[in-house]
Amino acid sequence: MSDPGLVATYRLQLRGGVGLDAARALLPRLVALGISHLYLSPPFAAASGSTHGYDVIDPRAIDPVLGGEAAFVALADAARNAGIGLVLDIVPNHMAFTPENPFVADIMRHGRASRFAGVFDIDWDKGPLHFPVLDGTAEDLLAAGQIGAGGTAQSPVLTIYGQPYPLRDTPLAREVAEAGGLDAPTLSELLAQQWWSVGDWRGTADAIVHRRFFNITGLIGVRQEDPAVFDLTHRWIVEHVRAGRIQGLRVDHIDGLARPGAYLRRLREAVGEVPVWIEKIVKQGEAIPASWPIEGMSGYEFMTPVTGLLTHAPGLAAMREAALGAVPDDVPAEVRAVRAQLLAGTLAPELRRVTGAAGEALAVPPDRRGPLGEGIRDLACVWPVYRAYTADGCPLDPALDALRGVSGQAGALLDLLHAAADDEPARIFAARFEQLTGALTAKSEEDTVFFRSVAYLPFCEVGAEPELDAIETGAFEALMQRRAKSTPFALNALSTHDTKRSADARAALIALSHFPEPARRFCEEARRRAAAAGLPERWGLYALQTALALWGEAEAQDRIAAHIAKAMREAKDISTHEDPDEQAEARGAALCCALHAALDDPGFWPGDIQARYQAARARTVLAQAAFQLTAPGIPDIYQGTQRFTPALTDPDNRRPIDWSEGRDDLSARKEALTRDLLEARRADPALFARGSYSLVESAGGWRVTRECEGRTFSLQIARPLAGKQG
C-alpha cells in the first residue's frame, strides 16, 4: 500500500470523564507534539457504568455518555482541519451479555425466532440462554424484593436487581405485567416459560450456553464468520470510513474470532486502504499468517526486544538467583498445571464445547466422549502457541505434530486440524479448539503465572515470558531490520491499556538489573520481610519491584493497595477474585508500602547506589522512548506517556492525565525528546518506517542509524548505566 501519512499515533482512553469533546480539545496539544493520528478506545454504546468500552452493547451507535454521534462528527471534522487522522479501536469478537444489549434483549423475547439469533455464538441445543447473576435463589431474591414484575402487557419484563429482563410474550407474562404482583409459584412458572434462565453466579456455570470472551460470562461471542453479522455490526464503521471520518482501525482480540483471516479480508474489502492493525499476542517464534491484509500488530511484540536489549544480564541473573525457592522453578510446568486447573474450573464450559465439536467430527457418541475431552485437555495444556489458524485455511505447523504422543487422542485431534481446510466438521472443531487455546494461554500465563514467576517483572509482560534472557545488540538490530522489510507500518508500543506495567514502571526495574549486588540484597531483604509478614516469599519480590515502579509517585500508597489486591487475586493461590483473602491482601499491601517508604531512606541503599540508580532509571526511561521513536514502524504513544508516567496494570494505567504545565525535569526531558524525534519523523516518514536500520554499541550506549535512498538520520542513545556496571 502507499504510505498512509502515518507519523505516530496517540492512544486516548475514553470514559472516566473523558468524552469526545474532551478529545477534540486535546487536538492542539497533539499537533504541537507532532502526532499524526489520534487513536481512540472503543467509542460505541457500552454497558451502563463501563469504564473501558469493550463491553459494547451496540456497535451501530456512539455512546451518549461520550457525547453521541454529533460529538463524534465534530471531533472528526476538527481532527481533519488540524491535520490529524482518527484511529478507532473496534471490538468484533464479543459484546456485553446483558439485557441492555438490544440484540440480546430481542433474543430473550423471541428466542431462536429473533432476527438477531444468529449474531451470537450460542449452543441452543444445550438449553436456554443462561444468566448466572443471582446472589442466591430466585425465590430468595423475590422475598428480598430484588425480583419483581414490570413493563406492560405489550412489553412485559422481569426486574432483577432493578434491571429489566425481557419476557417471552405469553399469557402469563402479560397477566403478571398487568397485575404487577408476583409470588414464588408464579415466578417459577414464569421462568420456566422463558428462552432464558437465571441462577446463582457461584454454582450455575454449567448452564452457560454462549461462547464467552475468555472466562467472562458477561461477554458473549459474536459470529463474525457470518457475512450478515459482519454487515450488521460494521455498518456504522464502514459508513464513517467512506465518509472520511476514520483513518485507521485497530481490531481487538483477533484470536477470539472463528476465522480471523476471512474476517480481515472482508474488513479490508469493506474499508479499502485504510490502515488496519490487530491486537495479537505472539509467543517467541510465533508468527501471524503473512497473507493477512493488515499493516501489522498493535505493538506487544515490539516491547519485549526493547526490554531485553536494555536489561543487564548479570543483574538479571542475580535477581533470579535471589528468587530461587520463592518462585516456580519450572515455568512451563507451572503453566501446564494452571491450564489443567482452568480447564477443570472456569474454562470447563469452553472445554465441553470443544469436546462436543470433536465428538461430532469423529462420530463419537455423546456418552463415550470422556476420553476425548481428556485428550483435548492434555493437548491444550501443552499447546505452544496462542492459536493455529487451520479453521481459516492455513496449514498446521508441522512442528506441532510432535505433540502426537501427548495422549492417545492427540493424533486424531491433530488429524482433524490438518483436515480443517476441506472438512466442515473438522473446521468447526478447529475453530472451537483454536479459540480455546488463545483464551487458555492468556489466562494461564498473562493472568496467572505472570503473578507467580516474579523474579524479574519486566519479562512478566504481555508478549514476553518470565524465563526470557537479555538480548544482544546484533539480535535487536536484526529484529528491527526484519520489521522494516515485513511490517513497516506496524505499531511500536511501549505502554498500552493492557500492559502489566507502563514503560516507565518497567524502566525502574530494568535499571535495577544494572546493579547486580544491590539487586540481590534488596531481593533477599524483601523475601525476609514477606516471610515475617506470613506471606509466601515471592510476594516480597513482587512488592519490592512494585515499590520501585512507583517510587516518588503521588498517591502511591493507595495505588499499591489496590494493585496488590488485584495481583494476588490474579495469582490465584492465596486469594482469588471469586474468594478473596482480604487479610492476606492487606499484609501484602503493607509490605509493599513499607518497602516503598524505605526507598526514601539513604541508609536502605549501599554506598552511593541510590543516586546512581536514580540516574540509571532516568536514562532507561529516555532510552526506551528513543528506541521506540527511531525504530521501523509507527510509534504508538499511550496517553500521558510522552512524559514520565509510571503506572501499574489496569485500572491504574487509566488514571486521569495531568495536563498542567508544571512538571518534573525527567518529564520535560522525555517530552522534548518525543517532540524532537516526531519532528524528524514527520520530515521524512518513509525513512523511519521503511529505511534500513543499523545499531552500533559503544561504551556509552548505542548509535542508531536510519538510511533511505541517500537520506540519513542518526541518534546516540545512552545506556542505563554509563561506564562501569554496578
Side-chain angles (χ1 to χ4, degrees):
M1 65 174 292
S2 59
D3 287 7
L6 285 157
V7 175
T9 60
Y10 191 92
R11 167 76 178 202
L12 183 66
Q13 291 293 112
L14 300 172
R15 304 179 190 277
V18 179
L20 295 168
D21 287 343
R24 179 155 50 96
L26 183 62
L27 292 173
R29 292 182 181 273
L30 301 185
V31 170
L33 187 61
I35 297 296
S36 64
H37 288 68
L38 172 59
Y39 163 20
L40 299 174
S41 64
F44 306 103
S48 294
S50 175
T51 59
H52 46 71
Y54 290 92
D55 43 1
V56 175
I57 61 173
D58 194 343
R60 304 167 301 176
I62 295 292
D63 202 323
V65 170
L66 302 177
E69 184 79 8
F72 177 79
V73 172
L75 170 60
D77 290 345
R80 184 189 302 112
N81 292 336
I84 287 181
L86 287 186
V87 176
L88 259 60
D89 196 342
I90 64 173
V91 191
N93 174 56
H94 58 267
M95 291 190 212
F97 182 56
T98 167
E100 282 188 283
N101 185 321
F103 306 114
V104 172
D106 197 81
I107 293 171
M108 294 172 72
R109 182 90 67 195
H110 302 292
R112 290 195 193 194
S114 168
R115 59 196 171 120
F116 300 127
V119 170
F120 301 114
D121 200 348
I122 301 169
D123 285 338
W124 284 106
D125 294 336
K126 299 293 177 63
L129 202 60
H130 184 67
F131 294 82
V133 296
L134 305 184
D135 192 14
T137 67
E139 292 74 16
D140 291 340
L141 268 69
L142 176 66
Q146 298 292 342
I147 292 181
T152 65
Q154 293 74 34
S155 184
V157 301
L158 196 66
T159 59
I160 302 177
Y161 298 125
Q163 185 173 46
Y165 281 60
L167 292 170
R168 183 180 178 185
D169 185 13
T170 66
L172 179 60
R174 291 193 295 271
E175 178 185 333
V176 166
E178 288 179 332
L182 195 60
D183 57 27
T186 304
L187 173 62
S188 179
E189 183 180 357
L190 187 64
L191 288 173
Q193 295 178 354
Q194 302 312 308
W195 303 115
W196 50 270
S197 62
V198 290
D200 193 312
W201 64 271
R202 287 170 289 250
T204 62
D206 286 350
I208 294 169
V209 300
H210 68 275
R211 177 174 65 82
R212 303 178 292 176
F213 173 69
F214 290 173
N215 61 341
I216 304 173
T217 301
L219 297 174
I220 183 169
V222 178
R223 298 182 61 253
Q224 294 293 352
E225 60 269 28
D226 184 339
V229 174
F230 177 92
D231 291 342
L232 175 70
T233 57
H234 288 70
R235 183 179 305 147
W236 184 95
I237 296 165
V238 173
E239 287 177 357
H240 283 276
V241 167
R242 292 177 179 174
R245 297 191 181 100
I246 299 172
Q247 287 71 43
L249 298 169
R250 182 265 198 187
V251 180
D252 181 65
H253 190 55
I254 196 72
D255 278 348
L257 296 170
R259 299 174 189 174
Y263 168 83
L264 290 170
R265 287 187 289 273
R266 190 171 289 124
L267 181 65
R268 175 59 68 202
E269 182 179 352
V271 302
E273 291 193 354
V274 164
V276 173
W277 298 276
I278 60 168
E279 182 195 28
K280 162 66 181 169
I281 302 168
V282 291
K283 294 174 73 66
Q284 302 305 300
E286 182 179 359
I288 60 174
S291 61
W292 284 359
I294 58 174
E295 276 52 59
M297 295 182 279
S298 56
Y300 300 138
E301 78 288 354
F302 175 78
M303 296 187 293
T304 301
V306 174
T307 296
L309 177 67
L310 293 173
T311 293
H312 186 46
L316 174 62
M319 293 174 72
R320 284 177 170 165
E321 183 179 343
L324 289 174
V327 300
D329 57 5
D330 186 335
V331 173
E334 188 79 2
V335 169
R336 291 192 297 271
V338 171
R339 290 186 183 187
Q341 292 169 359
L342 291 170
L343 289 170
T346 59
L347 290 177
E350 283 66 31
L351 178 59
R352 286 194 295 273
R353 289 166 65 86
V354 179
T355 302
E360 293 298 319
L362 295 171
V364 177
D367 61 348
R368 299 179 60 187
R369 291 176 183 172
L372 192 58
E374 293 172 4
I376 293 169
R377 177 202 63 200
D378 293 343
L379 188 61
C381 282
V382 297
W383 201 250
V385 293
Y386 276 81
R387 77 172 273 175
Y389 298 97
T390 63
D392 216 18
C394 296
L396 187 67
D397 185 342
L400 294 173
D401 278 317
L403 300 177
R404 287 182 178 274
V406 167
S407 73
Q409 304 289 331
L413 296 170
L414 288 166
D415 287 342
L416 284 180
L417 295 177
H418 278 295
D422 303 310
D423 181 76
E424 182 61 20
R427 186 179 301 118
I428 292 171
F429 160 73
R432 296 286 191 220
F433 180 75
E434 291 165 2
Q435 287 171 314
L436 172 65
T437 60
L440 183 62
T441 302
K443 295 304 294 182
S444 62
E445 298 184 21
E446 300 158 39
D447 293 346
T448 305
V449 175
F450 282 12
F451 293 91
R452 296 182 182 182
S453 185
V454 296
Y456 188 63
L457 290 182
F459 283 149
C460 297
E461 188 54 85
V462 184
E465 298 172 25
E467 66 268 45
L468 291 180
D469 291 321
I471 66 172
E472 298 295 331
T473 297
F476 185 87
E477 179 186 57
L479 285 170
M480 294 303 105
Q481 289 170 347
R482 289 197 294 272
R483 198 168 182 83
K485 293 178 180 178
S486 61
T487 54
F489 297 115
L491 295 182
N492 295 339
L494 289 176
S495 304
T496 78
H497 62 292
D498 277 331
T499 48
K500 303 301 182 186
R501 280 152 286 276
S502 70
D504 292 343
R506 292 196 302 275
L509 313 179
I510 294 169
L512 184 63
S513 75
H514 290 262
F515 300 88
E517 286 310 312
R520 187 194 311 274
R521 289 178 52 182
F522 289 165
C523 290
E524 291 169 351
E525 171 65 15
R527 288 183 62 171
R528 285 194 294 270
R529 292 191 183 206
L535 293 168
E537 291 182 14
R538 74 166 173 277
W539 286 109
L541 304 174
Y542 194 94
L544 168 68
Q545 293 176 78
T546 301
L548 276 168
L550 289 189
W551 188 23
E553 284 298 288
E555 303 174 359
Q557 304 278 311
D558 291 340
R559 294 166 65 185
I560 283 170
H563 176 76
I564 292 293
K566 180 176 181 178
M568 285 189 166
R569 295 174 192 185
E570 295 282 68
K572 303 176 185 62
D573 49 3
I574 62 175
S575 188
T576 66
H577 289 286
E578 296 79 14
D579 186 20
D581 184 338
E582 295 182 355
Q583 290 185 341
E585 292 167 4
R587 293 198 302 274
L591 169 63
C592 189
C593 288
L595 288 166
H596 185 268
L599 295 173
D600 288 328
D601 180 4
F604 185 77
W605 301 78
D608 64 346
I609 294 296
Q610 184 184 54
R612 294 177 61 207
Y613 167 80
Q614 289 173 321
R617 180 173 70 161
R619 291 193 193 97
T620 306
V621 166
L622 298 175
Q624 287 183 130
F627 279 114
Q628 178 190 32
L629 294 164
T630 57
I634 306 302
D636 173 40
I637 300 173
Y638 186 70
Q639 60 178 26
T641 61
Q642 72 275 16
R643 298 176 179 177
F644 178 58
T645 310
L648 306 174
T649 193
D650 167 76
D652 191 67
N653 61 18
R654 287 190 280 108
R655 287 160 47 85
I657 305 169
D658 181 6
W659 293 108
S660 60
E661 290 304 317
R663 54 188 183 271
D664 60 275
D665 177 66
L666 181 54
S667 287
R669 292 164 63 195
K670 186 180 181 185
E671 188 164 11
L673 175 68
T674 301
R675 186 181 297 109
D676 290 346
L677 291 179
L678 288 183
E679 183 179 352
R681 292 189 76 105
R682 183 175 289 277
D684 198 341
L687 167 67
F688 285 93
R690 299 178 181 273
S692 66
Y693 187 91
S694 170
L695 188 65
V696 177
E697 186 173 3
S698 64
W702 300 267
R703 178 161 291 277
V704 59
T705 302
R706 308 296 311 278
E707 294 186 10
C708 181
E709 298 177 348
R711 306 185 308 279
T712 302
F713 172 88
S714 187
L715 179 72
Q716 183 70 25
I717 301 174
R719 66 170 63 254
L721 191 62
K724 183 180 179 181
Q725 295 292 337

